Amino acid sequence: LFLVGNNTLKDLYEKYKDNNQLLLKWLGLQAKTPAADALDNFENLITGKTPGFDYTDPYNCYSLVMPFINNNPRFHDTSARGYKIVADLILKLDLEVKNSEVATSVASSLIPRPELDSRYADLIYRELKRIHGTTGLSTALKEVINASLAGK
């Protein structure tokens, strides 16, 4: 829930949840933990099962999602669940929140790097194709997704 076995982080959240700067740091800590249940924690934050993340706030996305994608080995889980969670968030940001800037930024981070093992890259491309097939995407997000798929 709040990093398993770490009551200190849970206590920090409860004490400082109204302090936006500290909340952003707290989200960053959540994103960088390599704990076995980090993907569950990430999903619970993204979906609102655990309080503390507001997907309508760009700074929340930059503090939680970007570090998780770029730094957490749990993101590359063989189930591809991390990729699906992030792809769903990209769609939500673009279609519901109407924030194509944050959606394209997150999508750009999702694009596989050349050094990524091809089995993981293929799973990411599957999610990018799913996003690509969604109706109503912003022009900016379409461009990022098209460019990433063209480079495959």
Side-chain angles (χ1 to χ4, degrees):
L1 183 57
F2 293 89
L3 296 180
V4 169
N6 196 330
N7 287 331
T8 303
L9 283 176
K10 183 178 180 182
D11 293 343
L12 280 173
Y13 172 77
E14 290 301 326
K15 186 172 182 179
Y16 297 108
K17 63 185 173 189
D18 295 326
N19 182 322
N20 198 45
Q21 291 300 318
L22 289 176
L23 180 61
L24 295 176
K25 298 238 184 263
W26 180 84
L27 287 170
L29 289 172
Q30 297 292 319
K32 293 175 186 168
T33 178
D37 61 349
L39 187 55
D40 293 331
N41 294 337
F42 178 73
E43 181 176 31
N44 289 339
L45 281 163
I46 295 288
T47 60
K49 292 178 187 169
T50 299
F53 178 75
D54 175 6
Y55 66 87
T56 65
D57 181 340
Y59 296 109
N60 275 223
C61 291
Y62 295 134
S63 295
L64 176 66
V65 180
M66 308 302 267
F68 191 80
I69 291 171
N70 295 318
N71 299 316
N72 199 310
R74 302 291 180 203
F75 176 64
H76 299 290
D77 182 81
T78 54
S79 71
R81 204 168 101 223
Y83 309 148
K84 182 181 182 326
I85 294 165
V86 172
D88 289 345
L89 177 65
I90 291 167
L91 290 169
K92 191 178 254 191
L93 289 167
D94 197 62
L95 301 171
E96 288 178 33
V97 180
K98 303 288 187 204
N99 193 333
S100 62
E101 185 178 329
V102 176
T104 56
S105 183
V106 174
S108 295
S109 292
L110 183 61
I111 297 168
R113 293 185 181 106
E115 65 273 7
L116 186 64
D117 185 299
S118 64
R119 64 188 162 147
Y120 296 114
D122 289 343
L123 294 170
I124 292 173
Y125 281 119
R126 184 179 72 194
E127 290 302 323
L128 291 170
K129 287 176 186 171
R130 181 170 68 89
I131 293 170
H132 183 265
T134 304
T135 343
L137 295 178
S138 67
T139 303
L141 183 58
K142 280 183 198 174
E143 288 174 2
V144 167
I145 299 297
N146 286 338
S148 69
L149 292 174
K152 182 181 185 236

